[in-house]
C-alpha cells in the first residue's frame, strides 16, 4: 500500500474533499484493490457503496480480504431508542428491522451481484457485522463514530476519520471531506494512524465503556441467502472498471490476437474514462450523449474492449455489432476498431460472394459455445433493416445470421437517433447482452415515442457532455465565432409563405395530415431557397471570403421552386465563374474514394470549399474545416448541431485556434404593424436555432442582436422557451 506504485496508479492524498475528488474512484477502489483488511466504524452503512467498488471488492476477497463493520441500526432514531429502553424488545426490533431492510427490492443487476458476494462473505465470516449503540442508564442512543482502517499484506495501514458515512450518497452525492493518515510516511502520520486504529480495536473488543455491541451475522445470513442468493468471489464475475487513462486497461489475455486491447498510444480524457466506467457500473447498458467531436467512437471502442475481455475471462465469445447511419462511417469505424485489435467485417450495400462467405465465418465463430475471442460486424442501419415484408432470403442476410446467434452480443448504435423509426427498431437484435447508444443529439426531433423506444433498448444516458463543456471545460473542441445573417423574404415570398401557412392550417382543421405534410414541405422549400440567400452569399464572397480556404458551404437540397434550378449547381456556378474559387461538390452521390480525395484537398488548401447538402451532417471527420457557411438549415436541432460539430473538431496536423460559422436566418419583411401568426412562427423557429448557436459561441454578444430581432417582430424573448433555457440546458442534450 506504499506510495511507491506504478505511475498509472493514484498516489494517496493527505486529504480528500468531495467535490472535486471522486471518493469512489480516487480512494475506495484503489484502497480495496491493495488491501487485505478493512475495518470500519460508521454511523450508517449501505451496500450501495460496495456495489460501486465492485471490481476491487472481488480482488479484495480473493487476496484474503477480511472486513469488520461496526454500524448503527439505520432504521431507528434516538427518540425510538429512548422509548424502547434496554429490554429484549429492543433486540427483537433491531433484528426485524434488519430483516425488512434486506427484503427490499434490489434496484440494479450490479447491486444484486454485489449482494450475493456480501452474503458469501457473511456466511464464511469474511464480513463480520456488529450493531453498536451508545449506552445510557435506562436506554440507548445512536452510535456516530466514523473511523476507517485499510491494511495491506506488508504491515502498512492507513486510516481516515470524519464526515462520510458508508453510503453511496456519502461517497458520491454529498459534500464530504476527511484526512488520510498513512503509517509509512513519517512518524507524525504513523502516530495519528496508530491512535485511530487502536480506537477501532477498542470498540471492536468492547473495551469502551458506554458503547454496546450486538453480533448480527447470525441474524442476517439466512435473510440474505433468501433475498440475494450467494456467490463466491471471482476475478471474472463482473465488468471491470478502467483505471487512469494511461493504465493498461484491458491487457491481452494470451499470445493470440482474438481479444482486443487498448492501443499503446491511446490517451483517454478523464471524461471518456468516466463515461466508460459509468457504463460498466450500469451493467453494460446506456447512452453516451456526448457533443460531436468529443471522441464517442474511441470511448465506445474502449467499452467494447472491456466487454470483450470480460467475456473472454468467462471463456465465451462476444459478437460486437456496430450500426452506423452512413457508409462513410463504416470505414471510419473499421479503421479505429483495427487499432484496438478487432478484425471488423463490414456489411453494406450489395454483398459479393466473397463478402458473404467472410461474414458467415465471422458469425459462425461468434456462435461458438466457448472460446476467448471477440468478433465485430459493422453495418449501416439501412443494410440491417429489411425493406419490406415480402423479401427474398438473400436480402435478409444479416438478419438471418443474427437470428441464429445465441451467444453474447454487444450492440453499438452510432448516431442512435437514426434508429428510432419503427422498421429500424424492429430490426435491432432482441435481448443483447450489452447495449451502447451514441449521439450528440439523442432526442429524436418531434418524435417522443421513438426517443423513448431508443431509451428502452439502449438504456438511459450514463454521461452527458454539452457543446460548452466540450469547448471550454474539456478542451476537446475549438471555440467559435457565430455570425448570424438576416435574410428577408421578398414581398412575393412572404405572400406565398402566408398562403401556404393558411393551407397548412386548413388541412389540419379537416384532419388531412397528408395534405398538411405536403404543404409543410412546400413551405420549407420556399424558405430554404429564399432569393436573399444567394445574394448574401455573393456579398460575403465579395467582401473577402472568396480568398479563404478550408470552408464548408451548406446549400439547400433540390430545386428552387421559382427557377426550377438546383441550388447546388447555381452556387457552384457563381463561386467558380464570378469569384474564381476552387470548389467541389460533396454529396450523396460522391463515392467513398472520391470523398477521401476531396477531404485531403480541403486539408491541403488545394480547394477553397466543399459544397454539401446533408451528407456532412453526421459523424464524418473533416477536422481541417475552419469556416462554415450555412445557407440552408432546418429547425431540427440534430442537423445544425451536427453541422457545427463538423467545424469544431481539432486538427492535429494543422491546429486551428477557432472556427467561424456564418448562419443565414430567414425572416419575413420587417412588419409595418403586427406580424401575422405564420410570420411569428417563422421568426421564432429561426431564432431558436440562432440562440442555441450563439449561446456557446465565444462572441456571446451575438445574443443581443438576436434579441433585438425578436423585438422587431413583436416577440418578447422572455416569453420564448428558447430564451429561457437553464445553464447547460442545451437543445441537443438529454437533460
Amino acid at each position: 500500500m506504499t506510495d511507491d506504485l506504478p505511475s498509472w496508479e493514484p498516489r494517496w492524498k493527505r486529504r480528500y474533499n468531495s467535490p472535486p475528488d471522486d471518493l469512489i474512484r480516487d480512494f475506495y477502489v484503489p484502497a480495496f484493490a491493495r488491501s487485505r483488511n478493512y475495518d470500519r466504524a460508521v454511523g450508517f452503512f449501505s451496500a450501495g457503496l460496495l456495489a460501486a467498488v465492485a471490481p476491487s471488492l472481488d480482488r479484495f476477497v480473493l487476496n484474503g480480504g477480511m472486513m469488520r463493520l461496526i454500524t448503527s441500526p439505520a432504521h431507528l432514531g434516538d427518540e425510538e431508542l429512548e422509548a424502547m429502553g434496554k429490554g429484549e424488545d429492543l433486540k427483537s426490533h433491531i433484528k426485524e428491522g434488519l430483516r425488512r431492510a434486506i427484503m427490499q427490492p434490489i434496484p440494479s443487476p450490479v447491486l444484486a451481484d454485489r449482494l450475493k458476494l456480501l452474503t458469501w462473505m457473511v456466511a464464511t465470516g469474511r464480513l463480520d457485522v456488529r450493531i453498536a449503540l451508545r449506552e445510557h442508564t435506562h436506554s440507548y442512543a445512536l452510535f456516530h463514530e466514523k473511523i476507517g482502517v485499510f491494511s495491506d499484506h506488508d504491515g502498512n495501514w492507513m486510516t481516515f476519520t470524519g464526515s462520510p458515512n458508508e453510503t453511496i450518497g456519502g461517497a458520491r452525492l454529498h459534500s464530504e471531506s476527511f484526512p488520510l493518515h498513512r503509517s509509512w510516511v513519517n512518524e507524525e502520520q504513523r502516530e495519528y494512524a496508530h491512535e485511530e486504529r487502536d480506537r477501532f480495536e477498542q470498540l471492536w473488543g468492547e473495551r469502551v465503556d458506554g458503547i454496546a455491541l450486538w453480533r448480527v451475522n447470525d441474524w442476517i445470513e439466512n435473510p440474505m441467502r433468501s433475498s440475494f442468493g450467494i456467490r463466491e468471489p471471482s476475478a471474472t464475475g463482473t465488468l471491470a472498471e478502467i483505471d487512469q487513462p494511461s493504465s493498461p486497461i484491458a491487457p491481452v489475455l494470451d499470445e493470440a490476437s482474438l481479444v482486443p486491447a487498448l492501443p499503446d498510444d491511446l490517451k483517454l480524457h478523464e471524461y471518456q474514462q468516466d463515461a466508460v466506467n459509468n457504463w460498466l457500473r450500469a451493467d453494460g447498458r446506456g447512452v453516451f450523449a456526448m457533443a460531436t467531436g468529443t471522441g464517442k467512437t474511441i470511448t465506445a471502442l474502449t467499452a467494447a474492449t472491456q466487454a470483450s475481455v470480460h467475456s473472454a475471462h468467462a471463456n465465451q465469445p462476444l459478437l460486437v455489432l456496430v450500426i452506423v447511419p452512413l457508409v462513410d462511417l463504416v470505414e471510419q469505424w473499421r479503421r479505429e476498431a483495427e487499432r484496438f485489435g478487432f478484425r471488423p467485417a463490414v456489411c453494406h450495400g450489395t454483398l459479393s460472394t466473397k463478402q458473404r462467405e467472410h461474414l458467415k465465418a465471422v458469425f459462425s465463430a461468434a456462435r461458438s459455445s466457448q472460446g476467448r475471442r471477440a468478433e465485430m460486424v459493422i453495418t449501416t442501419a439501412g443494410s440491417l433493416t429489411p425493406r419490406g415484408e415480402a423479401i427474398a432470403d438473400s436480402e435478409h442476410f444479416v438478419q438471418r445470421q443474427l437470428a441464429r446467434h445465441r451467444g453474447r452480443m454487444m450492440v453499438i448504435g452510432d448516431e442512435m437517433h437514426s434508429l428510432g423509426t419503427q422498421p429500424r427498431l424492429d430490426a435491432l437484435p432482441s435481448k443483447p447482452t450489452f447495449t451502447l447508444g451514441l449521439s450528440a443529439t439523442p432526442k429524436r426531433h418531434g418524435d417522443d415515442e421513438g426517443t423513448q423506444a431508443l431509451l428502452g433498448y439502449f438504456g438511459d444516458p450514463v454521461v452527458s457532455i454539452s457543446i460548452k463543456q466540450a469547448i471550454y471545460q474539456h478542451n476537446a473542441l475549438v471555440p467559435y465565432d457565430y455570425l448570424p445573417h438576416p435574410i428577408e423574404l421578398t414581398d412575393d415570398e412572404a405572400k406565398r409563405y402566408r398562403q401556404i401557412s393558411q393551407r397548412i392550417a386548413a388541412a389540419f382543421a379537416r384532419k388531412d395530415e397528408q395534405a398538411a405534410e405536403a404543404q409543410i414541405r412546400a413551405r420549407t422549400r420556399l424558405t430554404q431557397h429564399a432569393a436573399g440567400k444567394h445574394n448574401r452569399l455573393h456579398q460575403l464572397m465579395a467582401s473577402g471570403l472568396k480568398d479563404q480556404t478550408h470552408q464548408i458551404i451548406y446549400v439547400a437540397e433540390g430545386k428552387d421552386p421559382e427557377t426550377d434550378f438546383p441550388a447546388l449547381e447555381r452556387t457552384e456556378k457563381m463561386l467558380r465563374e464570378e469569384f474564381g474559387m476552387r470548389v467541389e461538390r460533396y454529396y450523396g452521390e460522391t463515392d467513398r474514394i472520391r470523398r477521401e480525395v476531396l477531404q485531403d484537398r480541403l486539408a491541403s488548401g488545394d480547394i477553397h470549399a466543399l459544397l454539401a447538402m446533408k451528407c456532412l451532417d453526421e459523424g464524418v471527420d473533416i477536422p481541417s474545416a475552419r469556416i462554415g457557411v450555412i445557407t440552408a438549415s432546418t429547425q431540427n436541432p440534430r442537423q445544425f448541431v451536427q453541422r457545427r460539430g463538423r467545424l469544431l473538431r481539432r486538427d492535429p496536423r494543422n491546429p486551428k485556434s477557432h472556427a467561424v460559422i456564418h448562419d443565414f436566418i430567414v425572416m419575413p419583411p420587417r412588419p409595418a404593424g403586427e406580424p401575422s401568426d405564420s410570420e411569428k412562427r417563422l421568426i421564432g423557429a429561426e431564432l431558436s436555432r440562432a440562440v442555441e448557436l450563439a449561446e456557446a459561441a465565444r462572441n456571446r454578444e451575438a445574443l443581443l442582436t438576436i434579441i433585438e430581432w425578436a423585438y422587431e417582430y413583436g416577440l418578447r424573448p422572455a416569453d420564448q422557451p428558447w430564451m429561457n433555457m437553464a445553464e447547460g440546458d442545451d437543445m441537443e442534450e438529454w437533460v
Side-chain angles (χ1 to χ4, degrees):
M1 190 185 290
T2 65
D3 288 329
D4 187 18
L5 299 171
S7 61
W8 55 268
E9 295 187 354
R11 293 184 177 274
W12 308 112
K13 300 172 64 174
R14 288 184 299 180
R15 187 174 193 86
Y16 288 84
N17 301 294
S18 173
D21 296 318
D22 183 325
L23 298 185
I24 291 174
R25 183 191 66 197
D26 300 338
F27 178 69
Y28 280 105
V29 167
F32 269 111
R34 292 157 179 80
S35 298
R36 183 177 184 179
N37 297 93
Y38 178 47
D39 298 326
R40 188 67 161 124
V42 67
F44 300 107
F45 172 83
S46 164
L49 179 67
L50 296 181
V53 299
S56 291
L57 190 60
D58 271 279
R59 277 183 281 170
F60 170 78
V61 179
L62 289 170
N63 287 337
M66 299 278 295
M67 285 179 60
R68 295 185 295 178
L69 175 66
I70 304 173
T71 185
S72 276
H75 60 288
L76 292 177
D78 284 332
E79 291 183 359
E80 292 175 280
L81 288 169
E82 185 177 2
M84 282 186 281
K86 289 186 169 182
E88 283 297 317
D89 286 347
L90 172 62
K91 185 180 294 187
S92 298
H93 198 84
I94 293 174
K95 186 174 182 179
E96 177 60 21
L98 290 172
R99 189 193 67 81
R100 285 199 305 269
I102 290 169
M103 301 306 290
Q104 292 297 311
I106 303 172
S108 75
V110 173
L111 181 56
D113 183 72
R114 293 299 93 211
L115 293 172
K116 290 180 182 179
L117 177 58
L118 289 181
T119 302
W120 180 88
M121 293 173 68
V122 167
T124 59
R126 301 288 283 276
L127 170 58
D128 196 344
V129 184
R130 300 185 184 182
I131 293 292
L133 290 172
R134 175 76 166 91
E135 187 172 16
H136 297 286
T137 304
H138 301 294
S139 64
Y140 294 101
L142 291 174
F143 170 84
H144 272 297
E145 291 197 42
K146 296 174 182 176
I147 304 170
V149 185
F150 280 104
S151 308
D152 70 8
H153 289 263
D154 299 320
N156 303 300
W157 75 93
M158 59 185 184
T159 62
F160 59 101
T161 60
S163 74
N165 278 307
E166 201 83 349
T167 66
I168 194 69
R172 175 163 285 150
L173 303 180
H174 304 156
S175 175
E176 305 287 358
S177 176
F178 60 80
L180 184 68
H181 299 126
R182 291 158 289 168
S183 68
W184 64 90
V185 174
N186 55 45
E187 191 59 35
E188 182 181 15
Q189 289 242 348
R190 187 179 181 87
E191 287 181 9
Y192 273 114
H194 202 288
E195 289 177 5
E196 290 161 352
R197 187 177 66 171
D198 280 356
R199 176 61 176 176
F200 180 88
E201 293 295 345
Q202 290 168 8
L203 290 167
W204 188 262
E206 301 184 56
R207 299 193 301 271
V208 179
D209 290 339
I211 302 294
L213 266 66
W214 282 270
R215 303 185 182 196
V216 301
N217 277 36
D218 289 343
W219 299 358
I220 63 178
E221 180 184 342
N222 287 335
M224 289 178 72
R225 284 179 180 270
S226 174
S227 186
F228 310 144
I230 189 170
R231 78 161 176 86
E232 296 184 2
S234 168
T236 64
T238 58
L239 285 163
E241 293 180 27
I242 58 177
D243 291 302
Q244 297 299 318
S246 58
S247 70
I249 294 175
V252 177
L253 293 170
D254 48 40
E255 295 301 316
S257 60
L258 300 180
V259 178
L262 293 193
D264 292 337
D265 60 348
L266 179 66
K267 301 295 182 184
L268 292 177
H269 295 285
E270 185 175 353
Y271 67 82
Q272 293 173 312
Q273 176 188 342
D274 289 343
V276 174
N277 280 341
N278 289 345
W279 180 79
L280 295 169
R281 293 181 189 122
D283 209 29
R285 274 177 54 81
V287 172
F288 292 168
M290 298 165 61
T292 298
T294 52
K296 291 188 292 294
T297 302
I298 293 297
T299 312
L301 285 168
T302 302
T305 298
Q306 289 300 97
S308 299
V309 171
H310 168 72
S311 296
H313 278 307
N315 199 29
Q316 294 188 34
L318 177 68
L319 173 64
V320 181
L321 178 67
V322 181
I323 309 166
V324 301
L326 302 172
V327 173
D328 286 31
L329 294 179
V330 172
E331 294 305 312
Q332 192 167 297
W333 267 87
R334 180 186 59 77
R335 290 192 298 268
E336 294 291 354
E338 287 175 348
R339 289 181 58 208
F340 285 73
F342 286 104
R343 306 163 310 285
V346 300
C347 174
H348 59 82
T350 303
L351 298 174
S352 66
T353 302
K354 184 177 180 180
Q355 288 173 319
R356 284 176 177 269
E357 292 305 314
H358 176 55
L359 281 164
K360 284 182 181 179
V362 168
F363 279 111
S364 177
R367 283 196 295 269
S368 301
S369 60
Q370 59 184 12
R372 294 184 170 191
R373 65 189 305 140
E375 302 292 345
M376 177 178 284
V377 174
I378 307 173
T379 186
T380 62
S383 297
L384 182 71
T385 307
R387 300 173 201 163
E389 295 181 2
I391 302 294
D393 283 349
S394 60
E395 295 189 51
H396 282 283
F397 175 77
V398 177
Q399 288 293 335
R400 292 203 322 274
Q401 298 300 321
L402 291 173
R404 296 175 60 193
H405 189 78
R406 296 292 183 271
R408 293 190 175 197
M409 183 190 303
M410 177 176 181
V411 176
I412 301 176
D414 191 19
E415 307 296 351
M416 58 172 279
H417 45 262
S418 68
L419 298 172
T421 65
Q422 197 57 54
R424 291 187 173 185
L425 287 167
D426 293 340
L428 294 173
S430 62
K431 299 180 180 179
T433 316
F434 311 112
T435 53
L436 176 57
L438 313 175
S439 184
T441 55
K443 284 185 177 178
R444 283 179 59 78
H445 182 59
D447 182 13
D448 289 341
E449 186 176 341
T451 297
Q452 292 305 313
L454 288 171
L455 276 170
Y457 185 82
F458 286 104
D460 292 329
V462 295
V463 66
S464 181
I465 298 177
S466 71
I467 193 74
K468 283 187 282 188
Q469 288 174 315
I471 296 172
Y472 303 111
Q473 179 178 338
H474 301 303
N475 203 34
L477 304 174
V478 299
Y480 67 97
D481 293 331
Y482 177 62
L483 305 176
H485 301 273
I487 308 296
E488 285 194 14
L489 295 177
T490 66
D491 289 340
D492 286 343
E493 288 171 338
K495 180 180 179 181
R496 291 201 304 275
Y497 185 92
R498 286 191 291 269
Q499 290 172 342
I500 295 173
S501 295
Q502 290 170 358
R503 294 176 196 146
I504 293 171
F508 277 126
R510 63 177 185 270
K511 298 183 179 181
D512 188 346
E513 293 188 8
Q514 187 173 355
E517 289 295 329
Q519 293 300 321
I520 289 172
R521 288 193 295 271
R523 189 173 65 180
T524 299
R525 193 161 58 250
L526 172 66
T527 57
Q528 294 278 31
H529 293 269
K533 292 183 175 183
H534 188 78
N535 298 334
R536 183 57 183 146
L537 182 61
H538 190 283
Q539 293 170 2
L540 277 178
M541 295 302 161
S543 65
L545 202 57
K546 65 181 176 61
D547 300 318
Q548 300 294 316
T549 56
H550 302 91
Q551 299 185 52
I552 296 178
I553 301 174
Y554 285 97
V555 299
E557 296 179 81
K559 298 180 179 180
D560 187 311
E562 284 295 297
T563 65
D564 202 34
F565 197 75
L568 189 64
E569 292 183 15
R570 186 184 183 192
T571 302
E572 181 182 26
K573 179 179 173 60
M574 177 187 73
L575 297 178
R576 286 182 182 274
E577 296 182 3
E578 297 188 41
F579 296 104
M581 294 177 65
R582 299 181 301 276
V583 298
E584 296 288 350
R585 302 182 187 186
Y586 192 107
Y587 59 123
E589 287 71 22
T590 308
D591 64 52
R592 179 178 59 82
I593 296 176
R594 173 66 174 165
R595 291 185 185 191
E596 292 178 356
V597 170
L598 292 177
Q599 291 176 32
D600 289 340
R601 290 183 63 194
L602 184 74
S604 68
D606 182 49
I607 56 177
H608 291 88
L610 294 177
L611 304 183
M613 289 186 290
K614 289 181 67 176
C615 62
L616 281 176
D617 282 356
E618 292 185 313
V620 180
D621 287 337
I622 305 185
S624 62
R626 302 180 183 187
I627 300 172
V629 183
I630 305 175
T631 71
S633 185
T634 69
Q635 282 76 50
N636 184 339
R638 185 180 77 242
Q639 187 183 84
F640 61 78
V641 165
Q642 294 281 1
R643 290 180 174 184
R644 173 177 59 185
R646 300 282 75 71
L647 299 162
L648 306 189
R649 294 179 182 272
R650 293 194 172 275
D651 186 357
R653 294 186 298 177
N654 297 291
K656 54 191 176 187
S657 62
H658 68 285
V660 179
I661 299 176
H662 297 271
D663 188 17
F664 289 10
I665 308 296
V666 177
M667 299 180 175
R670 293 296 196 277
E674 180 73 12
S676 67
D677 289 342
S678 62
E679 289 171 335
K680 285 185 177 181
R681 282 192 293 271
L682 170 61
I683 191 65
E686 287 285 283
L687 294 190
S688 67
R689 179 180 82 244
V691 166
E692 165 71 3
L693 294 175
E695 262 286 326
R698 65 178 188 174
N699 63 324
R700 200 166 179 265
E701 62 272 15
L703 273 174
L704 299 177
T705 301
I706 297 166
I707 292 172
E708 288 178 7
W709 292 346
Y711 278 120
E712 289 177 12
Y713 284 88
L715 298 179
R716 292 185 69 255
D719 296 336
Q720 306 301 317
W722 38 268
M723 284 299 298
N724 289 281
M725 292 187 293
E727 181 68 23
D729 188 21
D730 302 289
M731 290 172 65
E732 78 272 25
E733 296 302 333
W734 232 325
V735 294

